[in-house]
Amino acid sequence: MSQNDRSVAAAAATATATTTTTTTTTTTKPAARVPNGMKKFSSRLFAFTRLTRGRPDTISDWDASSSASTRESSPDLHQLTSRRRRREGERKRPTRNGQTRLVVDQDHPPCPICATIDFPRLLNWRPSQPRPWIPLAHALAEESPCPYCIFFQAMVGAEPDPTRKFTPYLRTRQAFERLAVGEKHELGGAVLFEVTTKSKALPWGYIVRIVEGTDDLAGYREATPAIRGRLIPPLLDSALPRTWIDFCTANHTETCASPGPPIRGLKLVDCLEREVVFMDDLNVETIEYVTLSYVRGSADELPPPDGALPTTLPEDLPPLLADAISVTQSLGFRYLWVDQYCFPQYNATERQRQLDRMGDIYNRSALTLIVAAGEGVSDGIPGVSVPREEQLSLQVEGGHFTTSLTRPDVEVNSSKWASRGWTYQEGLLSRRRLVFTPSQTYFQCQHLHCHETISYPLATKPAINLGRVFPLTGAGTTAKDFKSQVNGFMSREFTYLEDRLDAFRGILDVFAHMDPAMDNLLGLPLYHPQEFKGASSVSPTDRLAVGLGWKHEHVGEADVLAHSMYAQDKFPSWTWLAWRSRPDYPDYGPSFNIFEVADDGPLMKNVTAAPAIEFSLGYSDHSVFSWEKDGDSISSKTSSVKFLRIKSHCFDIRLNKDAKGDISLCDLDLRDPYPAALASLLLRATHNDPDAEPPSGDHHLVGIFLAGRDWKRDESYESASVLICGRRNWAADGELVRLGTLELGHGGLLGVDDQSAVVKGVLNDEKRLDVQIRTLDIY
């Protein structure tokens, strides 16, 4: 479902006295490039280590005696992390002579350096031969007419570099070293070549030999274990994706077959009759249909339907939608689900029902067409109505070689499609995807992925990974996968921020149907009691206390006080759905994590809610229900959640911002790194304005104990999670909102009476922190 075409769906939730004391403790200086008040954390708070690897010495001549230097110690330079892909993915550069097929012959001879290297022999490499690093700096040094130099400069995608300070290398590789296939697999010894680049992303991919022949699809059907290059035509031959789909249909019946019939009340576009039909009126138990995932573009390109959905398609369709219908028919399908004509816009009840089942709409389709190209529906689909650019290739005495083009994961993650919120679950939950990028078409099911530029025998059941776009496990298989899904979703963009929950419902539904199931409250994970290892009994309060302990961990080297997230008022501040990445955050963004929820081993061990804590939910109709006692009433509520009422041990935190912008802690002599962390959290009290700063003067925060690990009978703990709240927009009479969490190390919450206690292990000099039982409403 695209991101702009819905009416604003009803959101599941909307969010709606300082004492003066003497200032003590240290102040911190404003960081460069950020507003006053944004200071650097102690290095002990957030550590980040960059791994660097050296480049081996160059080998200028291909000599058998140099075989000792061919060990596979080189870095995998083209592998990108998910946070770097969009930023570093490059568009390919044209060759400097404007040609894409380069031929080396008597009319187009190599330069003296390339002639010395003897590329025909190198490109005909056999396993018994050495594999030197071939330096290619000379290819960038001048505007040589040499076909090899032109080819490799285009591969590197760099401007001419007469200084020769940068030296790219040609490397001989085998599939098991680069494509995640086993060394003993039939395809493990297949030969390919790569050129390392400055950006660590190969703009035009690997160099692969073309096997000339009349049958363009033979490489997929034959049993000969070989990886072959393919020259893709300007327009897609539908027989190719049909080959991929047919193989999946015949061989992946247990994992890629539809888990059930289409949902009730579904509308579909009949591509043959060009009309919109009700699935229920077709008088069939099940039907194969295709779904479309795309970027709508501006509101002018495709305005939402005015009134009821049409029963017939307009004569003039936007190019993207017309191409989608054409592709659907060319692949042998008749029915297409596209939100513009099939999603109910104005029937609120039916709209919400289908929003709740959006994951099933995509998961139960036979195929999803993903258009990861263009800016909107006015742009046609590459390979359908928009010709693709011609592929780079090299013809030498020993054969014809082509390039695998940009890795699909790099190209897709650089697209506008990958930046939009609604497309996240559409791609992730589909069982089969046919992805259209500017350079080629890509197919991925639950077992394999195929590229238009490379063929290999599908009968070998290859596990080749040449840039797999979607994880083979989809949204995940256990509750441990939840954090990674939120990480992938957090940076997605929305036209209507209140759509964030609806655009994630399909993911949440997957976790709700796992064994054991994971429920949620406005996106907060409520882990199943079985996940709490070491706990004698697990209450609803324990589950919510853990979910509220979510946090954003900074993973880059940016100044952490240039706080990466800011809240908006469409959801309560205590759910991650209310928080967005700052548009000008100078690093790669935070990582979503949850207090004491592990990535390996047991999900949680000896984790429980803080002693005496209680939760209640307040609703927009002014009703309030106990989280522990009124579960049935909460489940049946239709009003939106307005606040979370917490009764727990609390303590006050007073900060002061002076005229210079320095923020200091008043009274409390907290251990490092807590003062710097609290100064950072103060900056997060702004809502809807990421650039706002707290005014000078005193500010009041409050800490609320949530959960801990290894609570003992005397109330000591190995670690504890504390929710930090402050006044919205720093207003003295503003509502309390979540700012973040602090994690306390080994300490204790020692009871004094029913209403007060002391905390050890937080203040310097072994002092005790006084805390009191209080009831607070967090909006």
Side-chain angles (χ1 to χ4, degrees):
M1 194 172 187
S2 64
Q3 67 281 357
N4 296 348
D5 56 327
R6 300 145 180 92
S7 304
V8 180
T14 50
T16 23
T18 313
T19 348
T20 53
T21 53
T22 308
T23 298
T24 60
T25 74
T26 335
T27 60
T28 49
K29 295 299 179 184
R33 298 185 296 124
V34 295
N36 284 339
M38 297 182 179
K39 296 85 167 171
K40 289 191 175 182
F41 271 79
S42 162
S43 61
R44 285 173 287 178
L45 182 59
F46 293 107
F48 177 74
T49 304
R50 291 192 184 276
L51 299 180
T52 56
R53 302 179 184 177
R55 178 172 288 155
D57 295 335
T58 63
I59 298 175
S60 56
D61 297 310
W62 188 27
D63 186 348
S65 64
S66 65
S67 59
S69 300
T70 64
R71 305 306 301 169
E72 300 313 307
S73 58
S74 65
D76 191 0
L77 292 178
H78 69 281
Q79 300 288 341
L80 300 183
T81 66
S82 60
R83 291 187 177 86
R84 293 176 182 262
R85 284 175 188 154
R86 193 172 301 155
R87 187 171 296 184
E88 293 189 359
E90 291 188 8
R91 293 187 63 83
K92 60 187 179 184
R93 297 176 55 85
T95 58
R96 58 176 179 250
N97 66 356
Q99 299 177 357
T100 53
R101 179 164 183 167
L102 299 162
V103 179
V104 184
D105 55 19
Q106 292 182 346
D107 296 330
H108 307 89
C111 67
I113 298 179
C114 288
T116 302
I117 294 174
D118 192 4
F119 281 110
R121 181 187 172 202
L122 177 68
L123 294 174
N124 196 35
W125 181 85
R126 294 291 180 268
S128 61
Q129 297 172 333
R131 292 189 289 170
W133 290 66
I134 305 299
L136 300 173
H138 71 281
L140 309 183
E142 55 188 25
E143 303 253 342
S144 167
C146 168
Y148 290 119
C149 291
I150 296 173
F151 179 84
F152 290 120
Q153 184 177 336
M155 281 288 296
V156 173
E159 297 283 354
D161 181 16
T163 66
R164 301 197 183 190
K165 292 182 178 179
F166 165 56
T167 301
Y169 298 87
L170 177 68
R171 297 301 319 277
T172 304
R173 295 295 191 187
Q174 291 183 275
F176 75 88
E177 299 166 330
R178 278 294 181 261
L179 305 186
V181 64
E183 184 174 2
K184 296 183 179 180
H185 191 276
E186 298 100 310
L187 298 175
V191 179
L192 56 155
F193 304 88
E194 69 174 348
V195 177
T196 63
T197 70
K198 280 183 177 179
S199 69
K200 301 183 182 180
L202 293 177
W204 286 28
Y206 293 107
I207 303 170
V208 189
R209 181 187 295 272
I210 298 173
V211 178
E212 308 285 358
T214 56
D215 186 355
D216 190 44
L217 303 180
Y220 295 102
R221 295 193 292 257
E222 291 181 356
T224 305
I227 295 178
R228 310 177 181 189
R230 297 182 69 254
L231 286 174
I232 64 173
L235 299 179
L236 174 67
D237 178 2
S238 60
L240 176 60
R242 189 68 248 183
T243 297
W244 300 333
I245 296 168
D246 289 344
F247 181 85
C248 174
T249 302
N251 294 275
H252 305 156
T253 54
E254 293 186 3
T255 54
C256 297
S258 175
I263 69 170
R264 178 180 56 81
L266 194 67
K267 283 188 174 183
L268 298 170
V269 172
D270 185 334
C271 298
L272 182 63
E273 300 294 338
R274 294 182 66 85
E275 62 183 16
V276 181
V277 298
F278 265 111
M279 164 68 190
D280 300 353
D281 295 339
L282 296 179
N283 295 321
V284 293
E285 291 186 4
T286 187
I287 193 171
E288 283 194 326
Y289 65 96
V290 175
T291 42
L292 178 65
S293 179
Y294 67 107
V295 173
R296 185 183 189 88
S298 66
D300 296 337
E301 291 185 71
L302 191 65
D306 184 12
L309 291 174
T311 57
T312 58
L313 297 183
E315 289 293 330
D316 296 323
L317 289 172
L320 187 148
L321 300 186
D323 288 351
I325 290 174
S326 174
V327 171
T328 300
Q329 291 184 283
S330 69
L331 294 176
F333 298 101
R334 179 171 178 173
Y335 298 101
L336 172 68
W337 187 92
V338 52
D339 53 358
Q340 174 70 7
Y341 305 115
C342 304
F343 179 71
Q345 298 282 350
Y346 298 99
N347 182 328
T349 301
E350 182 61 17
R351 182 184 67 234
Q352 190 59 52
R353 189 186 72 85
Q354 291 200 23
L355 280 172
D356 293 342
R357 301 293 301 277
M358 192 58 61
D360 286 335
I361 291 176
Y362 281 86
N363 185 249
R364 297 185 181 190
S365 68
L367 177 72
T368 296
L369 306 178
I370 295 176
V371 185
E375 298 294 315
V377 294
S378 298
D379 299 320
I381 299 178
V384 183
S385 65
V386 179
R388 282 87 59 94
E389 295 181 24
E390 194 171 348
Q391 203 171 346
L392 183 67
S393 68
L394 178 67
Q395 179 75 57
V396 301
E397 180 183 349
H400 191 191
F401 297 83
T402 188
T403 54
S404 61
L405 298 180
T406 308
R407 283 168 50 109
D409 56 346
V410 175
E411 191 167 24
V412 170
N413 276 282
S414 300
S415 69
K416 186 173 182 179
W417 177 89
S419 72
R420 303 303 301 180
W422 283 100
T423 61
Y424 184 75
Q425 67 178 6
E426 293 170 2
L428 201 61
L429 300 181
S430 298
R431 294 175 295 111
R432 302 187 188 100
R433 308 99 167 168
L434 187 63
V435 184
F436 296 86
T437 74
S439 64
Q440 65 172 309
T441 303
Y442 165 84
F443 174 80
Q444 184 179 336
C445 65
Q446 306 295 80
H447 277 279
L448 71 138
H449 67 153
C450 304
H451 310 252
E452 200 175 351
T453 55
I454 285 183
S455 68
Y456 39 78
L458 300 180
T460 62
K461 300 180 180 179
I464 283 179
N465 183 357
L466 190 61
R468 185 180 292 114
V469 176
F470 306 99
L472 290 178
T473 56
T477 57
T478 69
K480 290 181 181 179
D481 298 315
F482 179 76
K483 293 189 292 185
S484 65
Q485 298 310 327
V486 177
N487 264 324
F489 183 76
M490 282 292 289
S491 61
R492 296 296 182 111
E493 299 170 1
F494 284 87
T495 302
Y496 303 111
L497 294 176
E498 53 267 48
D499 286 350
R500 294 187 88 191
L501 178 58
D502 288 329
F504 200 69
R505 285 189 188 277
I507 307 294
L508 294 172
D509 190 60
V510 170
F511 286 90
H513 286 85
M514 288 180 178
D515 184 16
M518 190 202 82
D519 298 323
N520 77 93
L521 172 64
L522 291 182
L524 292 181
L526 303 175
Y527 293 108
H528 194 276
Q530 292 181 20
E531 306 285 9
F532 288 73
K533 305 302 181 185
S536 57
S537 63
V538 179
S539 68
T541 298
D542 292 319
R543 300 171 69 191
L544 182 55
V546 169
L548 286 167
W550 64 270
K551 57 185 177 179
H552 288 105
E553 293 182 334
H554 297 260
V555 295
E557 290 180 330
D559 187 311
V560 252
L561 283 184
H563 47 119
S564 60
M565 310 297 292
Y566 74 101
Q568 296 195 310
D569 293 338
K570 301 301 181 181
F571 293 95
S573 65
W574 39 266
T575 170
W576 58 267
L577 289 167
W579 293 80
R580 296 187 66 193
S581 299
R582 284 172 51 94
D584 58 347
Y585 183 64
D587 208 82
Y588 304 126
S591 174
F592 182 86
N593 215 328
I594 301 173
F595 170 73
E596 292 292 355
V597 173
D599 296 320
D600 300 307
L603 194 66
M604 284 167 287
K605 190 174 182 180
N606 299 330
V607 177
T608 58
I613 192 171
E614 297 178 9
F615 296 115
S616 300
L617 289 178
Y619 290 85
S620 57
D621 62 1
H622 306 294
S623 60
V624 179
F625 292 101
S626 166
W627 177 255
E628 188 74 29
K629 302 174 183 178
D630 300 327
D632 292 340
S633 299
I634 291 174
S635 299
S636 62
K637 285 296 290 184
T638 57
S639 302
S640 57
V641 177
K642 190 173 180 63
F643 62 83
L644 176 67
R645 180 166 293 168
I646 306 178
K647 180 181 179 182
S648 184
H649 289 91
C650 304
F651 59 96
D652 291 322
I653 305 162
R654 284 183 288 277
L655 299 167
N656 177 270
K657 180 182 177 183
D658 64 23
K660 296 180 180 180
D662 294 333
I663 300 175
S664 56
L665 191 63
C666 305
D667 280 350
L668 294 180
D669 186 19
L670 292 175
R671 293 179 176 178
D672 285 337
Y674 305 133
L678 291 169
S680 171
L681 294 179
L682 175 65
L683 301 176
R684 293 185 178 180
T686 175
H687 275 225
N688 302 319
D689 182 2
D691 297 321
E693 290 190 68
S696 298
D698 292 334
H699 296 276
H700 172 237
L701 307 183
V702 60
I704 308 170
F705 274 82
L706 286 177
R709 179 168 61 87
D710 287 334
W711 291 102
K712 306 299 183 185
R713 289 186 178 180
D714 62 353
E715 313 302 351
S716 66
Y717 51 76
E718 286 298 318
S719 62
S721 175
V722 175
L723 182 67
I724 304 298
C725 299
R727 300 294 175 180
R728 190 193 305 271
N729 296 322
W730 308 288
D733 57 350
E735 298 168 331
L736 274 179
V737 293
R738 176 200 186 275
L739 305 182
T741 59
L742 285 185
E743 290 191 9
L744 307 182
H746 179 77
L749 182 65
L750 308 180
V752 176
D753 54 41
D754 291 341
Q755 297 299 318
S756 62
V758 294
V759 178
K760 64 179 183 180
V762 177
L763 301 180
N764 288 312
D765 301 326
E766 302 301 326
K767 297 177 182 177
R768 304 295 177 93
L769 174 66
D770 292 326
V771 295
Q772 294 81 34
I773 294 285
R774 294 164 63 184
T775 300
L776 301 171
D777 292 343
I778 315 301
Y779 288 82

